[in-house]
């Protein structure tokens, strides 16, 4: 017998969803995650967020949660990647590193008792985001995976934030180990890269419109299915339906 999880109830010995959303099943436990929900963070989650305020020794970050998240000055690598005690000069220079409106990728380090998240960017893969496109989706549509950073073979990269913020950007030519995550490349992005990024962005919108889970394979299959169509046409309802149907079928074949 199936066990009742969040978002379900029993009626006439049948399990019924109490919210509209995505069904998740772990062995016999069935949960339904609501589509319209705020992000509830867990330690270890990868998030994409926007700096909303520079405060004393900390930044406030919008992460699609109920409360603003916090990035402490002590929870980041300063340029050069060095780990050292933070000084008064570092505090004065905070706006040089990150200012209001900047986007970052980070990891959830801890959850405060009120549910607010404390973030860290202590690895070189996290930090300030440069050029790319942000798509905001329901957090329930982002599939949990071992990694949420993907360099896709079509020529662009994605960060699938557990918080429903998806960042699509040109794949860096060399992995910059020196930057400590704060050197942003502001070179013009070639048209071919912009086209790939725009196509991926519209594919993500199509998948979300049809409530299909987002992960590297579903996005790539959708991208491939979209190739016969012009980028702007992907957003036509009939085209969205067609390419997502093809994506769903390929994913089922993969599982089968």
């Amino acid at each position: 017998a199936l066990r009742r999880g969040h978002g379900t109830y029993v009626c006439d010995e049948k399990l019924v969803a109490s919210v509209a959303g995505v069904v998740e099943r772990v062995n016999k436990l069935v949960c339904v995650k609501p589509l319209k929900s705020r992000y509830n963070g867990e330690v270890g989650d990868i998030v994409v967020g926007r700096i909303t305020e520079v405060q004393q020794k900390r930044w406030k970050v919008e992460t699609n949660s109920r409360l603003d998240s916090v990035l402490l000055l002590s929870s980041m690598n300063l340029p050069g990647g060095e780990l050292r005690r933070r000084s008064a000069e570092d505090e004065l220079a905070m706006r040089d590193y990150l200012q209001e409106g900047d986007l970052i990728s980070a990891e959830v380090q801890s959850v405060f008792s009120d549910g607010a998240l404390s973030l860290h960017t202590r690895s070189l893969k996290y930090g300030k985001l440069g050029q790319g496109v942000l798509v905001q989706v329901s957090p329930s549509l982002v599939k949990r995976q071992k990694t949420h950073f993907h360099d896709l073979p079509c020529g662009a990269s994605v960060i699938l934030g557990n918080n429903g913020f998806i960042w699509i950007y040109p794949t860096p030519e060399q992995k910059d180990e020196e930057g400590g995550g704060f050197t942003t490349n502001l070179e013009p992005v070639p048209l071919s890269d912009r086209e790939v990024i725009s196509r991926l962005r519209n594919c993500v919108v199509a998948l979300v419109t049809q409530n299909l889970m987002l992960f590297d394979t579903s996005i790539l299959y959708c991208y491939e299915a979209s190739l016969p169509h012009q980028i702007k046409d992907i957003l036509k309802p009939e085209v969205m339906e067609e390419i997502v149907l093809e994506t769903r079928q390929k994913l089922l074949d993969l599982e089968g």
Side-chain angles (χ1 to χ4, degrees), residues 1-10 15-16 28-31:
L2 295 173
R3 290 175 53 210
R4 187 172 71 81
H6 290 294
T8 64
Y9 65 96
V10 175
L15 207 56
V16 185
K28 295 194 169 174
L29 181 71
V30 176
C31 302

Side-chain angles (χ1 to χ4, degrees), residues 35 52 54 57 59 100 102 108 114-115 130 137 146 197 216 218:
L35 280 177
T52 56
V54 184
K57 295 189 182 170
W59 290 268
E100 293 85 353
D102 283 348
V108 177
D114 61 1
V137 308
K146 282 198 176 73
I197 289 167
D216 52 336
S218 67

Side-chain angles (χ1 to χ4, degrees), residues 200-235:
L200 280 170
R201 183 250 172 216
N202 286 359
C203 287
V204 167
V205 171
L207 290 166
V208 167
T209 308
Q210 305 289 319
N211 295 332
L212 201 68
M213 293 297 278
L214 296 175
F215 53 108
D216 52 336
T217 316
S218 67
I219 293 171
L220 195 60
Y221 282 169
C222 189
Y223 180 89
E224 288 166 358
S226 79
L227 288 171
H229 303 279
Q230 298 253 319
I231 294 170
K232 64 177 188 296
D233 291 343
I234 297 171
L235 296 179

